[in-house]
Amino acid sequence: MAVKEIVKFGDDRLRKVCHPVEKFNLRLWLLLRDMADTMYDAEGVGLAGPQIGILRRVVVIDVQDDNGLIELINPEIIAMEGEQAGPEGCLSKPGRQGFVTRPDKVTVRAQDRHGKFFEITGEGLLARAFCHEIDHLDGKLYIDIEDHEIVEEEEA
Ligand code: NI
């Protein structure tokens, strides 16, 4: 298990356009393992490469559904439909949430850890996670598109 430090909002690395993965080797598999370990340790539903300082197009997602852990290498959104509006947060800014409108159904084309292409469709939270994490690979954060910040009232 290798839990990495998560890069926080304000760090330039979260604003970079990441490079495609070209080699599907042990180094990638170790990165995927570290990313999953870090995501689960932080109790998040998704993590992108730049969030641990790796500027490569790699994403892990687990929204606790039948898909289990999803690994996306060089992912692209190829279809989307509908609309959902709701709270969204990011492991790079714990304790903050924004109100963000996203498509309700999203299909992604990506490569797996061996370089094989596949497609996956998600709805609801999974669709939101696809959009959020793939945005990270282009240096985009949810605060760029949120309608407003959601501030939780502290109990007196
Ligand atoms: Ni995020």
Side-chain angles (χ1 to χ4, degrees):
M1 172 137 169
V3 174
K4 300 293 186 183
E5 190 179 335
I6 297 177
V7 173
K8 298 300 192 298
F9 280 18
D11 190 307
D12 282 351
R13 290 173 290 179
L14 293 179
R15 290 305 192 177
K16 305 289 187 196
V17 175
C18 297
H19 306 283
V21 171
E22 285 160 2
K23 292 179 182 169
F24 297 80
N25 55 14
L26 180 61
R27 192 171 184 158
L28 172 67
W29 304 335
L30 293 174
L31 171 63
L32 287 164
R33 187 199 61 185
D34 288 350
M35 288 177 63
D37 287 347
T38 304
M39 173 181 71
Y40 289 126
D41 180 72
E43 296 181 356
V45 299
L47 190 79
Q51 290 184 279
I52 59 166
I54 304 296
L55 302 182
R56 290 278 167 187
R57 305 188 78 80
V58 180
V59 161
V60 293
I61 290 172
D62 189 341
V63 296
Q64 310 278 309
D65 64 1
D66 293 342
N67 291 298
L69 176 63
I70 300 169
E71 297 174 340
L72 303 174
I73 321 296
N74 302 326
E76 277 183 77
I77 293 174
I78 57 169
M80 47 190 172
E81 61 180 82
E83 195 175 282
Q84 57 172 320
E88 189 167 317
C90 181
L91 290 177
S92 292
K93 184 72 176 178
R96 187 195 190 282
Q97 285 198 315
F99 192 86
V100 184
T101 301
R102 298 284 196 183
D104 190 49
K105 189 174 178 185
V106 171
T107 300
V108 172
R109 182 169 191 262
Q111 284 166 280
D112 70 12
R113 56 168 51 218
H114 303 287
K116 187 169 183 277
F117 283 94
F118 68 100
E119 291 182 12
I120 182 169
T121 299
E123 293 182 56
L125 178 59
L126 184 53
R128 181 178 290 280
F130 284 155
C131 295
H132 179 112
E133 301 309 334
I134 292 171
D135 274 355
H136 268 300
L137 305 181
D138 290 317
K140 295 179 192 155
L141 303 175
Y142 79 86
I143 49 173
D144 303 336
I145 54 168
E146 71 181 355
D147 184 50
H148 60 83
E149 184 175 2
I150 300 169
V151 180
E152 302 230 348
E153 297 286 331
E154 293 270 341
E155 291 203 22

